[in-house]
Amino acid sequence: MITYLARSNYLHEVQRTFGGTGNLDVMGFFTQALSVLVPMVLVIIFWRYRRKILFFAVRFFVRNLFSRSRRIIENYLVSRGVVIEVCLYSGDGVGKRLCSARVTSVVGGRMKLQLIDTSPVVAKLKSARVICLMKPFAYSGRRINSFVTFISHMKRRGIVIKELSLMTPVRYKHIIRRQHARQRVAREGTVRVKMWSGRKANTFWMQRPELQTVNNPARYGEYTRLIVENVSAGGMRMYVVNPKGALPPLQKGNQLVLRVSIWNPKTNKYTYFTVLGTIRSRFSGRGGAIGLGIQFTSEGEPVGSRYTWRAVDGGIKSLGKFLSQLQG
């Protein structure tokens, strides 16, 4: 009893010190605390989700003001079965590729996608911001090839995406897709490439390459070989000339191990880069050649007598630095 009275008197003294009178007003104390705490929590929530809140606010007005033009573009995407490439997006630009897909329907401000091929994803994607890239088309005198939006719904099994829906964007726009400047290879031999199937990523250095470039094409006639058209920090474009016999898998989505050697005129030596690339496009070239557009996804680093692979987003930095020095 004595302890309780001592504590009560202490609380009364504290209340009198801050101008209070009478018994301790517990409800008043909580009201004052909440009047400070609630605005702070609201400010934190708004700041954390500011992009999404601003996105929905702006989209609400745009959908009402420009509903006709947006409906025409969305109907075009659905009716033509336009293939879009969905990538993570940040203020720094295009990030990791998630999948290729077609827009099957647009209902209630949401795009439902039919997935064509997907990339393994470990990161959390709930409400993630994405950029969608596609072949450019013209509408009302302007070119369109991309839009930025948020993931509305996603379902995955392990690291494989099974379902994906997006919010309709604020606007459809045209951007320059290439994050890295491509350097055209003017003469065969300045860029040499040795190729192995991605299945041999852990043993490729112990085996002969399955395909490679040659120094003097005139001596090889109908020999199956590689020709490099251009190269950048993010990937390369090449052709398989006279394709025949046993070839590594060359379909979209297949991975390849590439040993890329680039001639450095400043040192009169070749500089080597070992990369793991994914085939993003396949097309036909002259004389039945197979054209390949390859995106670099991992960089190989020698560790003792083997290689380890370090995943990269947005290209091989060491290769980009080397190419920029050559241009300089």
Side-chain angles (χ1 to χ4, degrees), residues 230-289:
N230 57 52
V231 62
S232 72
M236 64 194 317
R237 183 183 175 102
M238 65 175 67
Y239 292 91
V240 181
V241 180
N242 302 321
K244 56 187 175 182
L247 300 175
L250 299 177
Q251 303 302 319
K252 287 180 62 176
N254 290 138
Q255 288 190 317
L256 300 168
V257 178
L258 302 172
R259 173 69 62 80
V260 182
S261 308
I262 304 177
W263 178 254
N264 187 345
K266 298 178 181 178
T267 61
N268 289 329
K269 295 180 180 179
Y270 280 93
T271 301
Y272 300 88
F273 301 90
T274 305
V275 300
L276 191 64
T278 301
I279 299 175
R280 296 304 184 199
S281 62
R282 174 176 167 146
F283 46 92
S284 298
R286 294 181 183 177

Side-chain angles (χ1 to χ4, degrees), residues 51 55 77 83-101 103 111 113 125 127-135 144-152 164-179 295 314:
R51 287 178 176 170
F55 171 84
L77 296 178
V83 177
I84 63 175
E85 187 175 3
V86 184
C87 304
L88 290 176
Y89 182 72
S90 65
D92 299 328
V94 181
K96 180 178 177 60
R97 173 185 177 276
L98 301 181
C99 66
S100 294
V103 182
M111 290 181 171
L113 304 183
L125 298 177
S127 300
R129 196 178 183 205
V130 296
I131 181 169
C132 299
L133 306 168
M134 52 199 163
K135 284 187 176 182
I144 294 172
N145 74 341
S146 65
F147 59 89
V148 176
T149 186
F150 289 86
I151 292 177
S152 171
L164 188 65
S165 297
L166 306 176
M167 305 300 299
T168 54
V170 171
R171 67 189 181 99
Y172 299 88
K173 57 185 179 179
H174 181 268
I175 64 169
I176 299 175
R177 289 191 55 174
R178 300 300 172 193
Q179 185 178 0
Q295 178 188 8

Side-chain angles (χ1 to χ4, degrees), residues 312-323:
V312 295
D313 283 334
I316 308 294
K317 292 183 178 180
S318 57
L319 176 56
K321 184 177 180 180
F322 176 77
L323 293 174

Side-chain angles (χ1 to χ4, degrees), residues 36-101:
V36 176
L37 184 62
V38 170
M40 288 180 61
V41 171
L42 291 176
V43 169
I44 292 172
I45 292 175
F46 178 81
W47 180 253
R48 181 174 181 180
Y49 298 101
R50 62 191 184 281
R51 287 178 176 170
K52 199 166 185 180
I53 294 172
L54 182 62
F55 171 84
F56 281 107
V58 175
R59 195 184 70 150
F60 174 79
F61 291 102
V62 171
R63 288 182 66 186
N64 291 324
L65 294 175
F66 305 101
S67 59
R68 182 176 178 275
S69 60
R70 292 169 57 84
R71 188 167 59 251
I72 291 174
I73 295 174
E74 289 159 3
N75 288 340
Y76 176 88
L77 296 178
V78 175
S79 62
R80 296 296 182 91
V82 176
V83 177
I84 63 175
E85 187 175 3
V86 184
C87 304
L88 290 176
Y89 182 72
S90 65
D92 299 328
V94 181
K96 180 178 177 60
R97 173 185 177 276
L98 301 181
C99 66
S100 294

